[in-house]
Amino acid sequence: MRSSIAVYGLSEPGAGPERQSRAGRCAACPQALPAGCGLLPLRPGRAGPGRRGSAAPRSAPPRRLRGCAIAMARRLFPGAWLRQPHYAQVRFSYMRMKYLFISWLVVFIGSWVMYVQYSTYTELCRGHDCRKIICDKYKTGVIDGSACSSLCAKETLYFGKCLSTKPNKQMYLGIWGNLQGVIKCQMEEAAQFDFGTDPEPRKEIVLFDKPTRGTTVEKFKEMVYGLFKAKLGEQGNLSELVNLILSFADGNKDGRVSLPEAKSAWALLQLDEFLLMVILQDKEHTPKLMGFCGDLYVIERVEYTSLYGISLPWIIELLIPSGFRRSMDQWFTPSWPRKAKIAIGLLEFVEDVFHGPYGNFLMCDTSAKNLGYNDKYDLKMMDMRKIVPEMNLKEMIKDRPCESDMDCVYGTDCRTVCDQSKMRCTTEVIQPNLAKVCQLLKDYLLRGAPSDIHEELEKQLYLCIALKVTANQMEMEHSLILNNLKMLLWKKISHTNDS
């Protein structure tokens, strides 16, 4: 047989020059192949029988064979070199869809977070509305006070960072000239029966309705005395407290109380926190009152606004388990001697409100966020809105309908018992202030406590937590445990610089 079939060519033996000239062309297209590709044999060998004496062509190098094969394939299937394999297309589509979905999800979550943050801020932080209401009343002559001129006329009292936790109780950092303080303003009328229900909307027309025009100073004194008697009970020195209030109400210090100043003072006296601040103004652990206007008042700023812990964004707070959050809070605390000094200050505050000169006050929210301290590690009360007169609480909770003890709670810590026979709440609070404070201080003080007092400190704290209001000789036990704790802590830190 006289044939030698080329790899890429279609030349046959005996083909004419014209046919053999197309040996270097692709069978499927007219483009010419690279030079020499059409003459490459399938495998190296000798010539066929019909070409005796002719030398066999030398085998082409492997690299040249591969190049010719690629060139041939490109001409036979030109579209294949423009398209990726099927599995690569599928993978590319999947990855593209995944990234598009992730991008859309990130945009959606980010937009939702921004919307929630904005909605929360606009609802909680209403300082502009608060200032407008107060200044409108001041400019029309309804109210007056020591901070009114700076807030509304001179504009030297500014609202700073929003600290509000409830829409009806506005709280801001404030700058008053060269001083820094905290501004508190009531956006709604104070609720007298706060058992988890929302207070009634603020009635601006009614809020500053007392005293009325024509009321004398003596008549105003009688009004204040009657209010204190209802809140604090029958106390022998209520007249002294009335004179203290009148002195504070004289905002411009001209020696007399005008009707607008009296209306501001009367509105502020409806707030238990303001009343307690006036009573305890000479105490070390009460922030100083700097001024007032209507039911807005300014107190001194405290450097550290929580007993311990670190402030985190709310979205992170939701993701952290409560147990781990409590442990994390304990990491961000001062050194133990400084914690001991802060704890002594808290115990002294308990003494101040326990059977003080104007009766007993109950601490109904002893959470760490309500306590702060200054740069000298002296305790300062940050929020006293849930510290109420005992007489006032008894009136609020008396004969309240209940099915269990859980229905007889004011704030978070003032609990009474549900009388199942009458289905009414009793008036005696179960835990005294000291027991609630010791519960708060237990982990705070025992973590990092010196080994030589750890056991005794733990014993005293548990004795303190076990205190009950109904126990016999409670007042004696209360004083004994409180003094033992103070002496134990003070003895340990008295020789240090932190004392």
Side-chain angles (χ1 to χ4, degrees):
M1 183 176 179
R2 303 180 49 229
S3 68
S4 176
I5 301 176
V7 176
Y8 298 118
L10 298 176
S11 57
E12 296 179 2
E18 181 180 351
R19 188 168 183 176
Q20 287 187 3
S21 67
R22 282 188 267 166
R25 294 180 179 271
C26 175
C29 55
Q31 289 88 353
L33 293 175
C37 287
L39 301 177
L40 293 176
L42 181 63
R43 60 180 184 272
R46 298 182 61 85
R51 300 184 63 181
R52 289 192 187 102
S54 62
R58 289 181 298 175
S59 61
R63 183 175 300 176
R64 185 177 176 186
L65 287 174
R66 283 197 303 270
C68 291
I70 290 172
M72 181 66 178
R74 283 178 176 174
R75 284 158 176 78
L76 289 175
F77 308 103
W81 297 93
L82 300 177
R83 297 193 303 266
Q84 294 181 342
H86 179 67
Y87 75 89
Q89 294 181 24
V90 173
R91 179 175 177 80
F92 176 75
S93 300
Y94 169 75
M95 294 296 292
R96 182 170 59 181
M97 291 299 295
K98 184 174 75 170
Y99 287 130
L100 284 175
F101 174 75
I102 292 175
S103 301
W104 174 84
L105 189 63
V106 169
V107 171
F108 174 78
I109 294 176
S111 303
W112 178 77
V113 169
M114 292 178 63
Y115 171 76
V116 171
Q117 289 279 42
Y118 176 77
S119 301
T120 303
Y121 181 85
T122 54
E123 182 178 353
L124 287 180
C125 303
R126 300 159 62 188
H128 175 75
D129 296 335
C130 177
R131 183 180 181 278
K132 183 178 185 303
I133 292 172
I134 293 296
C135 289
D136 286 347
K137 296 295 182 182
Y138 168 69
K139 291 175 181 178
T140 55
V142 177
I143 59 174
D144 199 358
S146 56
C148 289
S149 177
S150 298
L151 178 67
C152 304
K154 300 177 181 177
E155 297 186 352
T156 55
L157 176 58
Y158 302 98
F159 283 76
K161 179 182 178 181
C162 177
L163 304 175
S164 306
T165 57
K166 291 184 179 179
N168 62 317
K169 299 184 184 298
Q170 294 295 291
M171 186 162 63
Y172 281 80
L173 291 179
I175 300 175
W176 194 352
N178 297 326
L179 302 176
Q180 292 187 339
V182 175
I183 303 173
K184 295 190 176 185
C185 177
Q186 311 302 308
M187 284 301 295
E188 294 177 358
E189 194 171 18
Q192 295 299 317
F193 295 87
D194 183 7
F195 292 96
T197 59
D198 292 330
E200 293 294 327
R202 176 177 181 164
K203 304 176 180 62
E204 297 175 24
I205 299 177
V206 180
L207 180 62
F208 303 112
D209 64 331
K210 294 180 181 179
T212 57
R213 185 175 298 276
T215 303
T216 63
V217 174
E218 292 301 321
K219 180 62 177 178
F220 182 60
K221 283 185 176 181
E222 292 178 7
M223 291 172 57
V224 175
Y225 185 91
L227 177 65
F228 289 164
K229 187 175 179 180
K231 281 178 172 286
L232 306 175
E234 193 67 53
Q235 305 288 335
N237 51 358
L238 286 182
S239 297
E240 296 178 9
L241 183 57
V242 171
N243 292 330
L244 182 63
I245 292 297
L246 291 179
S247 175
F248 183 82
D250 183 13
N252 55 9
K253 303 303 177 185
D254 61 354
R256 65 184 185 87
V257 178
S258 64
L259 181 62
E261 289 173 337
K263 287 188 175 184
S264 294
W266 182 258
L268 288 169
L269 289 176
Q270 312 307 311
L271 309 174
D272 291 327
E273 181 181 40
F274 180 82
L275 174 59
L276 186 59
M277 280 187 171
V278 173
I279 293 174
L280 300 178
Q281 268 301 282
D282 59 338
K283 302 297 182 181
E284 178 185 1
H285 308 296
T286 306
K288 303 302 179 186
L289 280 165
M290 299 171 61
F292 69 96
C293 183
D295 60 350
L296 175 149
Y297 56 102
V298 187
I299 63 175
E300 69 169 314
R301 181 181 178 182
V302 179
E303 187 73 19
Y304 301 96
T305 57
S306 181
L307 185 63
Y308 56 77
I310 184 173
S311 178
L312 296 174
W314 65 271
I315 191 66
I316 299 178
E317 292 276 9
L318 295 176
L319 302 176
I320 299 178
S322 57
F324 179 74
R325 182 69 169 103
R326 287 192 297 270
S327 299
M328 189 174 67
D329 283 341
Q330 296 295 338
W331 300 340
F332 297 92
T333 57
S335 62
W336 191 88
R338 290 172 174 172
K339 288 194 295 184
K341 184 179 181 181
I342 296 170
I344 292 173
L346 182 55
L347 294 173
E348 290 174 348
F349 180 80
V350 172
E351 282 185 302
D352 293 338
V353 299
F354 179 69
H355 291 314
Y358 302 105
N360 186 24
F361 285 78
L362 299 176
M363 301 172 66
C364 296
D365 187 359
T366 53
S367 57
K369 69 180 185 303
N370 294 333
L371 311 173
Y373 54 92
N374 59 20
D375 54 357
K376 296 180 180 179
Y377 299 94
D378 297 319
L379 177 91
K380 296 290 183 179
M381 297 301 298
M382 288 298 303
D383 191 341
M384 298 193 292
R385 286 176 291 189
K386 291 298 182 182
I387 302 179
V388 297
E390 183 179 21
M391 182 67 67
N392 200 22
L393 177 63
K394 287 182 177 181
E395 288 297 322
M396 286 192 291
I397 207 168
K398 180 178 65 175
D399 295 331
R400 177 175 174 79
C402 64
E403 296 181 358
S404 66
D405 292 347
M406 296 301 297
D407 298 323
C408 304
V409 181
Y410 178 82
T412 57
D413 296 321
C414 288
R415 303 172 181 272
T416 67
V417 177
C418 179
D419 187 347
Q420 294 294 331
S421 61
K422 300 178 181 179
M423 305 299 287
R424 292 289 187 271
C425 295
T426 60
T427 58
E428 292 298 328
V429 178
I430 299 173
Q431 268 191 319
N433 293 334
L434 184 59
K436 293 176 280 192
V437 165
C438 288
Q439 181 68 50
L440 175 67
L441 291 177
K442 179 171 67 70
D443 294 335
Y444 187 71
L445 285 177
L446 291 179
R447 183 182 179 88
S451 57
D452 56 332
I453 67 166
H454 190 282
E455 183 177 352
E456 180 63 20
L457 179 60
E458 185 176 20
K459 175 185 174 182
Q460 292 295 331
L461 285 171
Y462 277 105
L463 286 174
C464 176
I465 294 171
L467 279 173
K468 299 293 183 183
V469 172
T470 56
N472 295 330
Q473 300 179 334
M474 189 276 295
E475 292 188 19
M476 184 180 297
E477 293 180 4
H478 183 285
S479 299
L480 181 63
I481 293 175
L482 191 148
N483 289 330
N484 286 343
L485 278 170
K486 286 174 59 179
M487 288 178 60
L488 182 63
L489 296 173
W490 185 253
K491 183 179 178 180
K492 191 63 184 176
I493 68 170
S494 59
H495 63 282
T496 65
N497 294 330
D498 297 309
S499 61

